């Protein structure tokens, strides 16, 4: 079952249950998935579907960060949207798992004491390993902590 079919089925359930916020979020996600498929002119692979979901989550988080504190209506809407979208995203790696991959990558590249000059080379090898499974900002922060 593709992500589009899954989202469509859940959207129908939300409509029948009268959950307007959930239905609206799923409608936006469904539109994003369909637009990506139209742009590609073919069915989406599971990885591409995941990228669309992660992009929607990222955009919602950015909206939440940029919203002034007194706009509680927008903040609540973003939080509800995130809770729905996260059901369709893959489980993200935690800091300990990312640390393990960073260590393995450093061993693979034979770098014992990474410096700022090595960061580009490390990230080039590291990011494909965690793409879609970990937040890029967190990966960058964890790697920066190891820099000398």
């Amino acid at each position: 079952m593709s992500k589009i079919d899954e989202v469509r089925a859940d959207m129908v359930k939300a409509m029948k249950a009268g959950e307007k916020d959930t239905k609206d979020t799923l409608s936006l996600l469904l539109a994003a998935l369909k637009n990506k498929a139209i742009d590609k002119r073919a069915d989406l692979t599971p990885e591409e579907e995941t990228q669309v979901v992660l992009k929607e989550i990222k955009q919602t988080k950015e909206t939440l960060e940029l919203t002034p504190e007194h706009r509680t209506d927008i903040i609540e809407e973003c939080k509800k949207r995130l809770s729905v979208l996260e059901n369709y995203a893959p489980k993200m790696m935690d800091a300990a798992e990312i640390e393990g991959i960073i260590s393995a990558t450093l061993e693979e590249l034979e770098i014992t004491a990474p410096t700022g000059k090595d960061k580009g080379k490390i990230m080039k090898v590291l990011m494909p390993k965690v793409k879609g499974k970990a937040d890029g900002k967190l990966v960058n922060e964890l790697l920066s902590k190891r820099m000398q």
Side-chain angles (χ1 to χ4, degrees):
M1 183 175 188
S2 74
K3 192 80 76 183
I4 289 176
D5 296 333
E6 182 183 342
V7 171
R8 187 178 290 125
D10 289 348
M11 191 172 80
V12 170
K13 286 180 196 170
M15 281 192 282
K16 287 181 180 178
E19 299 169 354
K20 185 181 181 326
D21 293 334
T22 303
K23 181 247 168 209
D24 291 344
T25 300
L26 292 176
S27 178
L28 290 171
L29 178 58
L30 184 62
L33 287 165
K34 284 182 176 180
N35 285 339
K36 181 74 172 179
I38 290 169
D39 290 345
K40 184 182 173 193
R41 295 183 181 178
D43 290 338
L44 298 177
T45 64
E47 292 80 26
E48 291 169 329
E49 291 174 339
T50 299
Q51 286 176 346
V52 171
V53 173
L54 292 176
K55 181 180 176 188
E56 290 294 315
I57 289 172
K58 182 179 178 185
Q59 287 175 340
T60 305
K61 284 181 179 178
E62 287 173 355
T63 301
L64 190 59
E65 288 172 11
L66 296 173
T67 303
E69 288 182 25
H70 68 279
R71 293 298 309 267
T72 54
D73 56 331
I74 296 174
I75 292 171
E76 284 302 311
E77 182 183 335
C78 286
K79 287 180 180 177
K80 288 177 187 173
R81 185 175 295 166
L82 279 173
S83 68
V84 172
L85 290 173
E86 286 172 351
N87 294 329
Y88 299 92
K91 181 186 171 292
M92 299 303 260
M93 299 171 115
D94 62 5
E97 292 174 299
I98 296 170
E99 285 283 354
I101 292 177
I102 290 173
S103 297
T105 303
L106 290 174
E107 286 176 28
E108 179 185 321
L109 294 173
E110 299 174 359
I111 298 173
T112 54
T115 62
K117 291 180 181 178
D118 299 325
K119 190 171 188 176
K121 183 168 56 171
I122 297 167
M123 291 296 275
K124 191 175 184 179
V125 176
L126 179 63
M127 287 312 289
K129 294 179 182 179
V130 297
K131 185 173 175 117
K133 301 178 207 163
D135 180 28
K137 283 184 183 178
L138 180 59
V139 173
N140 193 8
E141 286 174 22
L142 293 173
L143 181 59
S144 294
K145 286 181 184 176
R146 289 186 175 216
M147 297 286 168
Q148 294 180 350

